[in-house]
Amino acid sequence: MGRLARSYALFVASVRVLRAHKGLAWFPVLAGIAGLLVAAAFLTPAFFTAHVQTGDVRPSAGTYVLLGAFYLVSAFTTIFFNAALISQADLALRGDGGVPGVGAGLATAGRRWPALLGWAGLTATVSLVLRTIEERLGFLGSIVSSLVGLAWRLTTFLVLPVVLLEGTGVRDGVKRSVELFRRTWGENVAGTAGLGLIGFLLTLAGYVVFLGAGFLLGGTATVFVAVGLAIVWTLLVAVFTTTLSGIYQTALYRYAADGVVPGEFASVDFADAFRGR
């Protein structure tokens, strides 16, 4: 099976799981709502604590504190709901009759909140360091930041399932993720990149259809409606692909950790997709 065909097979298998358990899509929706609330809670006071001089907004010490707290809480919010999604995706993939639920997912993630907060702090710190490198070194910094960031994402891809499902701390979770990454190699990159590509193509298709129709029909009101529909479509695609990514991440973890191929992924050649290095 070629890489593109295998990536498509992984996508189809993830869609099958989502079709059987549509409630999994609520987690990205709740994450988006919580993210907006967090932004409003931190960015609004951050703006009012800044010094306004001759038309320029200059951050004060309090503003920097609020922005730092916003960065950490935003990372934690995203990670918390991803963890809740993974917990219920794992329940769906086990096929033992368990029914995934939003409340059960939030409760499971809630029991692991200290470790999730620690992981949020680490990921936020790494992101800030990479951004600083990119800003300080210019073009060279962008290359270094991209390469290091890619290596970081690949080697820590399974940290969240490990921390949540194995009950480890952040440090052991990172070590375990690196171990699993070395043990099973193959479509880790192709699978995630494939989902990203499908998301991009779906988003692009929506913009072409909605904006194209809006401009062809003409009229200011029609164009505004078309732009609004395109934005809504983009949000729906984001929810769709985020949910599929969580399902795929969980399936990959189960195969890497236990050598078990979930039933919905039986048509995918996992032995070839995750070649041992």
Side-chain angles (χ1 to χ4, degrees):
M1 185 186 297
R3 289 187 180 275
L4 289 177
R6 192 181 300 118
S7 297
Y8 180 72
L10 290 169
F11 166 76
V12 172
S14 300
V15 171
R16 281 200 294 267
V17 177
L18 179 55
R19 289 180 62 184
H21 305 281
K22 299 180 179 63
L24 294 175
W26 276 109
F27 293 107
V29 173
L30 294 175
I33 295 173
L36 291 176
L37 294 176
V38 168
F42 284 93
L43 296 185
T44 301
F47 174 79
F48 284 107
T49 57
H51 299 298
V52 180
Q53 298 178 353
T54 63
D56 294 330
V57 179
R58 299 187 178 184
S60 65
T63 303
Y64 282 116
V65 171
L66 286 170
L67 290 177
F70 165 68
Y71 207 76
L72 175 60
V73 176
S74 294
F76 174 73
T77 300
T78 300
I79 287 172
F80 180 87
F81 284 100
N82 282 343
L85 168 59
I86 287 172
S87 74
Q88 297 311 290
D90 185 60
L91 181 62
L93 291 172
R94 287 205 303 266
D96 55 5
V99 180
V102 173
L106 297 178
T108 301
R111 288 191 292 271
R112 297 292 297 147
W113 75 264
L116 298 179
L117 181 60
W119 178 234
L122 180 57
T123 56
T125 300
V126 171
S127 297
L128 285 174
V129 170
L130 293 178
R131 181 175 297 179
T132 301
I133 292 174
E134 186 174 348
E135 292 176 352
R136 295 289 179 85
L137 301 181
F139 178 72
L140 178 60
S142 298
I143 296 176
V144 173
S145 176
S146 298
L147 293 177
V148 174
L150 176 61
W152 171 257
R153 287 190 297 273
L154 289 176
T155 54
T156 62
F157 185 67
L158 296 179
V159 167
L160 200 51
V162 169
V163 168
L164 186 74
L165 302 177
E166 296 186 9
T168 68
V170 175
R171 182 177 179 180
D172 291 336
V174 172
K175 291 181 179 179
R176 176 71 165 150
S177 178
V178 173
E179 174 192 342
L180 295 177
F181 174 77
R182 290 174 176 172
R183 185 186 305 170
T184 53
W185 172 259
E187 292 304 307
N188 189 328
V189 179
T192 52
L195 289 175
L197 177 61
I198 290 171
F200 170 76
L201 293 176
L202 288 175
T203 302
L204 181 62
Y207 270 86
V208 169
V209 171
F210 291 120
L211 296 185
F215 283 108
L216 286 176
L217 294 174
T220 303
T222 303
V223 171
F224 274 110
V225 171
V227 171
L229 290 174
I231 293 174
V232 172
W233 173 256
T234 301
L235 295 175
L236 291 176
V237 171
V239 169
F240 178 63
T241 55
T242 300
T243 308
L244 294 186
S245 178
I247 294 170
Y248 167 69
Q249 187 179 14
T250 308
L252 190 156
Y253 163 77
R254 278 302 171 196
Y255 180 81
D258 305 327
V260 176
V261 178
E264 292 81 355
F265 289 79
S267 61
V268 184
D269 187 1
F270 264 49
D272 185 44
F274 303 103
R275 293 190 187 94
R277 293 193 65 185

